[in-house]
Each structure stands twice: as structure tokens, then as C-alpha cells.
Amino acid sequence: LLSSIYAALASPLIEDSAQERVRLLKLAIAGLKRDSHDMVHRYRALAIAFLSVGDSVGAESTLKDLELYCNTSQDLQQLEDVRASVFMNQGNFKEAARCLLNRQFFWSTPGGVSNNLAVCVEQLGDLKQARENQRVALKEAKATGSLFLQVVSLSNLGAMETKLGNLRAGERFF
């Protein structure tokens, strides 16, 4: 019960400070039994919180700890979106894209993975493919009603169209 309370308090919707979220999630993990099915989700949240404070080393270390709690190859595969985020924070967009390609992520926000893939592909220099990935992200965000990802996708599409020289098309997204 205490672990669930700490995890709830660590939600970005409740706690603004990423540093405090890291502290609360560490307490949430410490409050779980080692065989708890919640361990994987708490460690995922902690890795993401570390990225929020700019600590990619802490996030990477947390991912290694997290792997110990994955009992199946499917569980391990579900970590690849977080691993991709670590790579993105390190500027390693090629490895991040490799983590995101051709995978289904059941624990991720719909549109989030496609958005991150679009950013990686754009950073690797393929604007047209990035635009297609971003369109997929927008479609997924609309389907689930995620206003935040819709706004991110629309602004990214506007920037991409502008970079491609399609100024009028870019205007529509801003």
C-alpha cells in the first residue's frame, strides 16, 4: 500500500519537481517485495524520472536493474521505448530508432513512440520519412484523445513542412 502511495505522489500530474519524483519512486521501489509484479512499472517510472532531471546515467543504471525483474522476452521488449529515450537523451538517434522500429509497446502512451521515432528519423536526416512517422503519431494521438501529443505532433509537422520548403503546408499546422 505504501509503495502505491509513493508511486501516486510521484506522478507528474501531482509532483512538479522531477528530483522529488525520483526520491518518491525510490521509496516506492523500496516498499515493494522483490517478487512484486509492480516492480517493473516502478522501475520504468524511475528511469523516466531520471531522464526528466537530465540524468541519463541514472536512467541507464535503472534500466539494468529493471532487466533483472523481467521474466519474459516480451517484458524485455517493452523496455525498449525507455531505452530509446535514454539513447535520445544521449544524442544517439540511430540506436534510439533501432529500439523503436517494428515493435508494439503495450505500456506506452499511444502516439508517443511514433513521435519519438519521427524525431530520431528527422535527426538522422530523412525528413520525408520523419514526416510520415509524425503523421502516424498524430493519428494515434487523435484516436486516443491525447491533446498533448496532438499539439506536439502538429507543431512537429509544421516544422517539418517548413524545413521541406512547403511553407504554406507548414502554416496550416501552426
Side-chain angles (χ1 to χ4, degrees):
L1 177 63
L2 190 56
S3 175
S4 296
I5 293 169
Y6 282 131
L9 291 172
S11 167
L13 298 174
I14 296 173
E15 180 55 55
D16 289 337
S17 166
Q19 209 54 33
E20 181 63 6
R21 288 196 309 271
V22 167
R23 187 185 77 77
L24 289 167
L25 286 164
K26 285 180 177 180
L27 290 170
I29 290 168
L32 287 176
K33 293 181 181 177
R34 296 200 58 76
D35 61 347
S36 171
H37 67 281
D38 289 328
M39 194 67 82
V40 171
H41 297 291
R42 299 283 194 278
Y43 268 106
R44 276 178 58 88
L46 179 59
I48 292 165
F50 272 123
L51 290 175
S52 295
V53 296
D55 185 355
S56 63
V57 173
E60 202 166 17
S61 175
T62 300
L63 272 177
K64 287 179 183 168
D65 293 341
L66 173 53
E67 288 173 357
L68 300 173
Y69 296 98
C70 293
N71 297 321
T72 67
S73 60
Q74 183 183 13
D75 284 351
L76 283 170
Q77 181 180 338
Q78 293 304 308
L79 303 184
E80 291 299 296
D81 63 331
V82 178
R83 190 176 321 280
S85 293
V86 172
F87 284 135
M88 288 175 73
N89 276 269
Q90 295 170 339
N92 189 344
F93 296 101
K94 186 175 184 179
E95 284 302 310
R98 184 191 57 75
C99 290
L100 298 173
L101 280 171
N102 302 317
R103 291 196 168 90
Q104 267 193 312
F105 295 99
F106 303 112
W107 300 339
S108 298
T109 303
V113 171
S114 298
N115 179 71
N116 285 348
L117 182 58
V119 169
C120 291
V121 172
E122 180 181 8
Q123 291 297 316
L124 293 171
D126 190 347
L127 269 173
K128 290 182 179 178
Q129 182 58 51
R131 177 178 58 187
E132 292 309 310
N133 292 119
Q134 197 63 66
R135 286 178 178 158
V136 170
L138 178 59
K139 182 178 177 184
E140 291 171 355
K142 283 181 176 179
T144 61
S146 173
L147 294 178
F148 172 74
L149 281 172
Q150 287 179 54
V151 170
V152 169
S153 295
L154 289 168
S155 65
N156 286 350
L157 282 166
M160 289 173 187
E161 290 293 352
T162 302
K163 290 175 188 176
L164 288 166
N166 305 325
L167 300 180
R168 290 235 194 286
E171 270 182 358
R172 290 188 333 223
F173 293 107
F174 293 114

